[in-house]
Amino acid sequence: MMRRFFGVLLGALLLMAVELRPAQAAETIRIGYIPVLGSSALFVLDGKGWAKDAGLDVELVRFTSGPQAIQALTSGRIDGYVAGVLPLLQARAHGVDVKVVAAASIEELSVVARGKLASELPKDATNALTPASVKAALERFATEEGHPARIAAQPPGSVPDTVLRYWLKKQLGVADPAKAASIVGVGIDAAQQAFLAGAVDAVVLREPALTVVEAKVPDLRVLATGHDMMPDQPGSVLALVKPDAADHQAWARTLTALFVRATTLLAQHPDEAVPYVQTALGGGMLDDAVLKKALERSASSFISDPSRIVAGVTALQDFEVELGLLRKAEPVSDLFDQTVWRQAP
């Protein structure tokens, strides 16, 4: 009887140990990301070791654009991603069961100009630029130079490209964006280098590139902040493949909770994130002071509630259909799984 009693007791203790153990992933969880400040929550949870402490084996996979990451997602090479939200709609249209479980940031993108285009702007920098003054500057540039201003962004279908076109048409009231600007779609690093070299007149930038470029281009002028381009502009998100599948639920909930925790830290104590973001983005080449400034400037943009960006995603998708970039709109509500975010502690 005593042997049987201790056998049962041992079995119960082992069961309790399994139940109390951190969520375990069956294999490595591969999360793709774009090397921008909007991905910082991923860098924090990885750098602080939170994922490892929770029993998750997370591998970070770097990409240079959202469409590139989507190709990896559709081919099954990654299990989720932290990047722009719009390409995910097309991934779902191609049969990928991917859902946004948390937002990462909003209003990431800004447009800055240099050289001739910057000189066309009103000289009184103490007054905020109006859509009318920016539109007039673009028109004067095109007339005087004989060609539209060249603005570097990311490839067509990416969030920077779509938001740029949205700003030109909806916010500035430009009837034909192609006549107001010649949009150059390249990778993130290539866009920054083209602007620094003077090969383009303006560029769509995210932090920390914006802070870096400001220090290197004395005549830089901001044409539009993220809020100017689109209030609550959808930025980076955490999206997972089949987050509600039986074999994904445990790690998907744990990873989402850690991501939300990291996003909160970025919003409230951005200086604490510097070493982890430095490792991921700077490789030791970015000055800590520059990165700290970029994080502090972006603190209010770090948000995790996915409901905050649903309206913006809908508006941008409708705009892509209007431009002919998409054949039809996909149900935006199907892209979001807000249950996981609500369950995060």
Side-chain angles (χ1 to χ4, degrees):
M1 285 292 291
M2 289 296 292
R3 182 179 296 176
R4 182 179 179 184
F5 169 80
F6 283 113
V8 172
L9 179 60
L10 179 60
L13 290 173
L14 289 173
L15 180 60
M16 287 177 64
V18 171
E19 291 176 342
L20 292 174
R21 193 168 52 194
Q24 297 287 331
E27 55 189 17
T28 300
I29 305 166
R30 298 155 300 176
I31 305 295
Y33 72 93
I34 307 298
V36 294
L37 218 66
S39 302
S40 292
L42 185 64
F43 309 147
V44 169
L45 73 86
D46 181 66
K48 279 186 169 289
W50 292 346
K52 184 177 180 181
D53 292 343
L56 302 182
D57 179 14
V58 177
E59 177 186 347
L60 275 54
V61 184
R62 180 179 175 130
F63 295 97
T64 59
S65 70
Q68 185 187 65
I70 289 298
Q71 291 178 3
L73 197 69
T74 55
S75 64
R77 290 188 285 122
I78 55 177
D79 305 297
Y81 99 163
V82 178
V85 64
L86 291 182
L88 294 168
L89 290 164
Q90 293 310 299
R92 286 189 61 83
H94 286 84
V96 181
D97 184 9
V98 59
K99 292 190 176 183
V100 173
V101 294
S105 63
I106 57 171
E107 301 180 358
E108 291 180 23
L109 306 174
S110 296
V111 186
V112 297
R114 67 176 303 175
K116 174 65 175 175
L117 180 55
S119 71
E120 293 290 347
L121 298 170
K123 304 301 183 205
D124 185 3
T126 59
N127 294 324
L129 295 176
T130 65
S133 64
V134 175
K135 180 182 178 183
L138 289 168
E139 291 172 345
R140 283 195 302 272
F141 180 96
T143 299
E144 294 173 6
E145 296 298 307
H147 62 80
R150 298 178 298 270
I151 305 180
Q154 274 67 76
S158 66
V159 174
D161 178 80
T162 299
V163 172
L164 174 60
R165 295 175 192 274
Y166 181 94
W167 171 66
L168 289 168
K169 192 173 181 66
K170 301 296 185 180
Q171 307 291 44
L172 299 190
V174 173
D176 185 356
K179 292 182 179 179
S182 175
I183 300 175
V184 182
V186 292
I188 293 173
D189 292 338
Q192 179 179 333
Q193 292 305 316
F195 183 73
L196 288 172
V200 294
D201 307 293
V203 64
V204 179
L205 290 179
R206 289 179 266 200
E207 291 288 9
L210 180 57
T211 299
V212 171
V213 168
E214 276 183 338
K216 295 183 178 182
V217 181
D219 67 338
L220 180 145
R221 293 290 301 277
V222 176
L223 293 181
T225 66
H227 188 76
D228 294 333
M229 295 183 81
M230 182 183 199
D232 275 2
Q233 172 200 124
S236 299
V237 298
L238 171 62
L240 302 176
V241 176
K242 299 180 180 178
D244 52 356
D247 57 340
H248 285 192
Q249 281 184 354
W251 68 256
R253 290 175 181 172
T254 301
L255 183 62
T256 302
L258 295 176
F259 193 86
V260 171
R261 178 184 174 189
T263 304
T264 301
L265 180 145
L266 286 159
Q268 298 178 354
H269 306 287
D271 55 306
E272 291 186 26
V274 170
Y276 313 112
V277 180
Q278 174 70 275
T279 299
L281 296 185
M285 299 180 68
L286 272 177
D287 187 273
D288 279 356
V290 170
L291 192 53
K292 182 174 181 290
K293 180 179 178 180
L295 283 165
E296 290 175 343
R297 291 169 67 175
S298 303
S300 63
S301 296
F302 289 113
I303 62 105
S304 62
D305 183 356
S307 67
R308 182 87 174 262
I309 62 172
V310 173
V313 173
T314 302
L316 289 177
Q317 181 182 220
D318 291 344
F319 179 65
E320 287 192 335
V321 173
E322 178 185 330
L323 292 181
L325 297 174
L326 295 178
R327 286 185 299 173
K328 65 173 185 176
E330 299 294 328
V332 171
S333 60
D334 292 349
L335 175 62
F336 290 83
D337 182 347
Q338 299 186 44
T339 303
V340 179
W341 177 81
R342 293 192 187 103
Q343 292 176 343

